[in-house]
């Protein structure tokens, strides 16, 4: 999920604009950065294609011909790290990294411009501080050889160094382009003063012990996020500052931990499912499913609301971005729903709530992340995620029934059985895709990573041969968009992995275990407190960074308490989704308002019935483990 993006170039007021002649050196720097940006986009697009071809052929070789490629996983992991870092560079240039905007959303543009400049200066300083540690990490790894391909490990670790350098170029260029010289100068002075203060206080931080964690991982991270800085860089600010000023650990450990966190092959499913979601849209699969559902129940009271819920249940989780899921469904249904007298606030609230309901539906990117960082079986998570989402959908259906009792059906169209049959035939390829994906994973045909390539091939073939509406001109932009969104997600994973390692080394995890063990109420009390904690985390951090940061800490406690890991995962994911789409802090709620073109002030007044229904569903998921594990 991407949060609201801060556009630095639009933040300056007339009073802040300065007539600044472009220095020849600045012009050259910007030209070099633009050239690097184009090269980066082309390389990232090729890497996405390479991963699809590599995993697709590897799956076919293993399953169809019983001749697996011994080197495929190693090469895919190496290319994946490069894809993640280049994607992070593209996301930084585009302003597509996940960020918290609750504190800066209402600020005046001229005031926000100063915060934007400070945030970019902090990002630039952070990346500059990571360049040399990344080079040291590269040198350490370059002497070793990969186990299968027997090539230098530097080919893998070089991605961290190249990514840090390119992001530094991008951050500096963005700062020069969109901030005034006064803003740049004052931001530089502020960052230099903060560095000097930290250097002077370093002996004090070492003496404080774990109390210094409050400074680095609470104060620094929260303040950084409050400025609108991307979440990944806010995590790294806290981690790098803690290691540099409160420990004697070399900073090269940061790129090392980030590489480890971003190299899990299971996370390769992130870009591939993002690509699959985009291909579903241009091939017509999603539209076919929606049209069929409308023909079935669209003429009933609340019929289109039920269609919206059903469509989100079917297509959600595949794209990797809730924005894409909602954008695929809402425009097709909202105009007719408004004709029937539905309130704009109710429609937007339902759209937002449907995104919460569908958080656990496979192949959810958050579920894949849970499996990656906690070791829980991906197949078990995919199986266990269907029923919690169904419970959430039933709870929302009750609200829809109540709100649509007096709906005007005068404009509702009734479809004939012949038309329904024709639309069913059109929708069958789309309806079959989720079944194909789940069956391939459960039956062992392909892993959760490999199955996405089957979906990609399926979507292309259906779009070309069945619907005949596949627009090849959109492929290159889609590949770049895939790399950008994936880089934004995976940089958070890497940053949160480094942060979690630092917290573990400090002994914080043991203290957290001891604290959670004191929660009254035994297992049920622990689960209720966990649900509340994940709601808060979801509203602040969003699903992926929250689960990467706290999953390795809380899941072992759940095991000690005797809680089934799949059950705990469903509670965590559903609760984080609830927080993400709950006003006033949940960014997802404002994203739903933007897609529905409804003012948040209008929607927020109508959101509470849907949120109450989802809260009831969450409590049921907490108290009834069978909902999560009954079909395992």
């Amino acid at each position: 999920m991407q949060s609201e993006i801060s556009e630095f170039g639009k933040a300056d007021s007339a009073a802040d604009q300065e007539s600044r002649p472009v220095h020849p050196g600045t012009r050259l720097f910007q030209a070099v950065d633009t050239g690097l940006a184009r090269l980066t986009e082309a390389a990232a697009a090729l890497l996405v294609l390479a991963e699809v071809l590599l995993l697709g052929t590897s799956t076919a070789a293993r399953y169809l011909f019983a001749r697996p490629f011994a080197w495929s996983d190693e090469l895919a992991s190496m290319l994946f790290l490069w894809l993640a870092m280049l994607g992070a560079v593209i996301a930084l240039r585009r302003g597509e990294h996940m960020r918290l905007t609750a504190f800066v959303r209402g600020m005046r543009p001229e005031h926000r411009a100063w915060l934007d400049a400070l945030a970019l200066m902090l990002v630039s300083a952070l990346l500059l501080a990571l360049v040399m540690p990344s080079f040291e990490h590269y040198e350490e790894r370059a002497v070793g050889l990969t186990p299968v391909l027997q090539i230098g490990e530097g080919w893998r670790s070089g991605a961290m160094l190249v990514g840090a350098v390119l992001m530094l170029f991008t951050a500096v260029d963005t700062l020069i382009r969109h901030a005034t010289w006064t803003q740049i100068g004052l931001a530089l002075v502020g960052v230099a003063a903060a560095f000097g203060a930290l250097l002077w206080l370093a002996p004090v931080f070492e003496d404080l012990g774990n109390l210094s964690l409050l400074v680095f991982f609470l104060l620094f991270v929260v303040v950084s996020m409050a400025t609108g800085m991307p979440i990944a860089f806010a995590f790294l600010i806290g981690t790098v500052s803690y290691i540099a000023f409160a420990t004697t650990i070399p900073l090269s450990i940061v790129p090392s931990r980030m590489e480890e966190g971003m190299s899990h092959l299971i996370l390769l499913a992130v870009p591939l499912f993002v690509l699959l979601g985009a291909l579903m849209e241009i091939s017509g699969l999603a539209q076919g499913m929606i049209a069929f559902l409308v023909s079935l129940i669209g003429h009933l009271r609340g019929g289109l609301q039920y269609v919206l819920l059903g469509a989100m249940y079917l297509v959600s989780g595949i794209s990797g971005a809730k924005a894409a899921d909602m954008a695929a469904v809402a425009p097709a249904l909202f105009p007719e729903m408004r004709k029937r007298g539905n309130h704009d606030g109710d429609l937007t609230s339902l759209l937002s709530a449907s995104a919460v309901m569908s958080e656990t539906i496979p192949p959810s990117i958050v579920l894949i992340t849970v499996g990656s960082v906690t070791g829980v079986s991906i197949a078990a998570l995919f199986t266990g995620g269907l029923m919690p989402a169904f419970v959430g959908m039933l709870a929302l259906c009750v609200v829809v029934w109540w709100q649509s009792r007096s709906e005007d059906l005068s404009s509702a169209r009734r479809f004939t059985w012949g038309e329904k049959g024709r639309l069913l035939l059109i929708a069958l390829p789309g309806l079959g895709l989720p079944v194909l994906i789940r069956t391939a994973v459960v039956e062992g045909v392909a892993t959760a990573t490999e199955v996405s390539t089957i979906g990609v091939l399926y979507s292309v073939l259906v779009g070309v041969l069945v619907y005949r509406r596949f627009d090849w001109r959109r492929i290159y932009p889609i590949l770049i968009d895939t790399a950008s969104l994936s880089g934004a997600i995976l940089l958070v994973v890497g940053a949160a992995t480094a942060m979690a390692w630092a917290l573990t080394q400090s002994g914080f995890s043991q203290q957290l275990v001891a604290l959670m063990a004191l929660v009254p109420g035994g297992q049920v009390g622990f689960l209720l407190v966990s649900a509340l904690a994940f709601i808060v985390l979801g509203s602040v951090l969003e699903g992926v960074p929250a689960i990467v940061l706290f999953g390795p800490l809380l899941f072992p406690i759940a095991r000690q308490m005797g809680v089934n890991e799949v059950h705990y995962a469903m509670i965590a994911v559903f609760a984080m989704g609830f927080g993400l789409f709950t006003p006033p802090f949940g960014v997802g709620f404002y994203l739903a308002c933007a897609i529905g073109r409804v003012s948040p002030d209008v929607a927020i007044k109508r959101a509470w019935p849907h949120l109450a229904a989802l809260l009831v569903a969450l409590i049921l998921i907490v108290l009834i483990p069978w909902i999560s594990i009954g079909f395992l």
Side-chain angles (χ1 to χ4, degrees):
M1 168 66 66
Q2 296 179 56
S3 307
E4 178 185 338
I5 305 303
S6 171
E7 298 187 39
F8 294 96
K10 297 182 180 180
D12 298 332
S13 66
D16 286 327
Q17 297 295 332
E18 297 178 7
S19 55
R20 297 175 296 167
V22 180
H23 190 276
T26 301
R27 187 182 297 113
L28 176 62
F29 180 86
Q30 293 176 350
V32 170
D33 186 66
T34 300
L36 287 175
R38 293 174 180 171
L39 182 62
T40 301
E41 290 180 351
L46 287 175
L47 284 171
V48 174
L49 276 180
E51 293 287 21
V52 172
L53 294 174
L54 177 58
L55 290 183
T57 55
S58 175
T59 304
R62 186 188 69 251
Y63 185 73
L64 297 179
F65 305 107
R67 291 193 171 185
F69 301 149
W71 45 266
S72 61
D73 284 357
E74 189 173 282
L75 179 59
S77 177
M78 185 179 299
L79 296 179
F80 175 50
L81 188 60
W82 279 93
L83 171 60
M85 293 306 297
L86 294 182
V89 175
I90 297 170
L92 183 60
R93 167 170 284 275
R94 292 179 165 196
E96 293 178 350
H97 279 284
M98 290 181 283
R99 66 181 76 230
L100 177 66
T101 59
F103 297 103
V104 298
R105 187 182 297 115
M107 294 181 65
R108 296 175 62 181
E110 58 269 25
H111 295 160
R112 187 167 178 178
W114 287 93
L115 272 184
D116 289 339
L118 177 60
L120 266 177
M121 184 61 72
L122 283 170
V123 169
S124 301
L126 169 69
L127 291 168
L128 181 62
L130 284 176
V131 168
M132 186 52 68
S134 297
F135 179 72
E136 293 171 356
H137 172 62
Y138 165 77
E139 284 190 317
E140 292 171 2
R141 298 295 301 273
V143 296
L145 298 177
T146 60
V148 181
L149 292 174
Q150 289 294 295
I151 61 176
E153 286 281 3
W155 286 103
R156 175 197 301 273
S157 300
M160 302 301 299
L161 175 60
V162 172
V165 172
L166 289 178
M167 282 192 285
L168 176 60
F169 260 80
T170 300
V172 173
D173 181 53
T174 305
L175 187 61
I176 292 174
R177 287 177 186 269
H178 299 301
T180 66
W181 291 118
T182 301
Q183 291 166 349
I184 293 174
L186 290 179
L188 180 60
V189 170
V191 171
F195 175 79
L198 288 173
L199 199 61
W200 181 60
L201 291 171
V204 177
F205 292 135
E206 293 184 16
D207 294 337
L208 284 176
N210 280 357
L211 286 177
S212 64
L213 298 177
L214 296 175
V215 176
F216 295 105
F217 294 115
L218 183 62
L219 179 62
F220 281 20
V221 172
V222 170
V223 170
S224 297
M225 288 195 296
T227 66
M229 180 187 296
I231 292 173
F233 295 105
F235 283 177
L236 287 174
I237 284 282
T239 305
V240 170
S241 299
Y242 171 72
I243 291 176
F245 299 108
T247 74
T248 57
I249 302 172
L251 275 180
S252 59
I253 195 65
V254 176
S256 174
R257 296 299 96 186
M258 290 180 66
E259 178 183 325
E260 180 183 357
M262 299 165 69
S263 295
H264 290 298
L265 195 59
I266 189 64
L267 288 175
L268 183 52
V270 172
L272 297 182
F273 275 117
V274 170
L275 175 62
L276 174 57
L279 294 178
M280 284 183 62
E281 189 271 325
I282 67 171
S283 65
L285 287 168
Q287 293 87 339
M289 287 188 287
I290 294 173
F292 173 63
L293 291 174
V294 169
S295 73
L296 286 182
I297 58 176
H299 61 282
L300 303 176
R301 280 192 171 86
L304 295 182
Q305 287 94 319
Y306 298 132
V307 169
L308 187 149
L309 293 174
M312 287 293 289
Y313 192 95
L314 289 172
V315 307
S316 191
I318 294 179
S319 70
K322 285 299 174 189
D325 298 334
M326 293 188 291
V329 174
L333 297 175
F334 272 24
E336 180 62 28
M337 295 166 81
R338 288 188 174 104
K339 288 181 183 179
R340 298 189 184 187
N342 290 282
H343 191 279
D344 282 349
D346 290 335
L347 299 184
T348 304
S349 175
L350 181 64
L351 180 65
S352 177
S354 69
V356 179
M357 167 270 293
S358 57
E359 278 286 79
T360 63
I361 296 175
S364 164
I365 299 300
V366 181
L367 287 183
I368 294 170
T369 307
V370 170
S372 171
V373 302
T374 65
V376 182
S377 165
I378 299 292
L381 291 172
F382 279 10
T383 302
L386 294 172
M387 185 56 68
F390 186 72
V391 170
M393 184 169 65
L394 288 180
L396 292 175
C397 284
V398 173
V399 178
V400 169
W401 171 80
W402 178 262
Q403 291 181 337
S404 62
R405 289 169 301 156
S406 58
E407 186 177 53
D408 180 13
L409 297 179
S410 59
S411 63
R413 178 189 173 188
R414 288 181 177 268
F415 291 78
T416 66
W417 285 105
E419 290 173 324
K420 292 177 182 178
R422 182 178 63 84
L423 290 172
L424 173 60
L425 290 177
I426 295 174
L428 276 178
L431 295 171
L433 179 57
V435 177
L436 173 66
I437 288 175
R438 181 180 177 277
T439 302
V441 174
V442 173
E443 298 299 325
V445 176
T447 65
T449 302
E450 295 168 338
V451 75
S452 53
T453 62
I454 298 175
V456 167
L457 178 62
Y458 180 89
S459 297
V460 172
L461 291 177
V462 168
V464 173
L465 301 178
V466 179
Y467 295 142
R468 297 182 180 180
R469 52 167 292 179
F470 202 83
D471 189 354
W472 292 100
R473 293 171 299 179
R474 294 180 60 186
I475 293 299
Y476 184 68
I478 283 175
L479 292 174
I480 297 174
D481 291 343
T482 297
S484 177
L485 177 57
S486 303
I489 293 173
L490 294 167
L491 188 66
V492 170
V493 172
T497 301
M499 186 173 176
W501 179 88
L503 287 170
T504 302
Q505 292 299 306
S506 69
F508 172 78
S509 57
Q510 290 82 2
Q511 296 171 355
L512 181 62
V513 171
L515 180 63
M516 295 296 285
L518 298 177
V519 172
Q523 188 181 98
V524 173
F526 169 73
L527 292 178
L528 289 173
V529 170
S530 295
L532 179 61
F534 279 115
I535 289 174
V536 175
L537 291 173
S539 67
V540 176
L541 297 179
E542 303 186 15
V544 171
I547 203 65
V548 173
L549 186 57
F550 289 95
L553 301 178
L554 293 177
F555 271 74
I557 304 176
R559 295 188 196 104
Q560 293 179 18
M561 300 287 291
V563 178
N564 183 281
E565 291 177 319
V566 174
H567 179 208
Y568 194 67
M570 295 306 126
I571 294 171
V573 173
F574 199 99
M576 285 189 295
F578 187 91
L580 179 62
F581 286 87
T582 300
F585 293 110
V587 175
F589 174 78
Y590 299 100
L591 190 59
C593 292
I595 291 172
R597 297 184 178 182
V598 176
S599 169
D601 296 334
V602 173
I604 198 171
K605 299 174 183 178
R606 318 283 291 206
W608 308 112
H610 298 101
L611 291 175
L614 290 172
L615 183 60
V616 171
L618 176 59
I619 293 173
L620 291 175
I621 294 169
V622 170
L623 299 180
I624 307 175
W626 181 88
I627 294 174
S628 302
I629 62 177
F631 293 96
L632 297 182

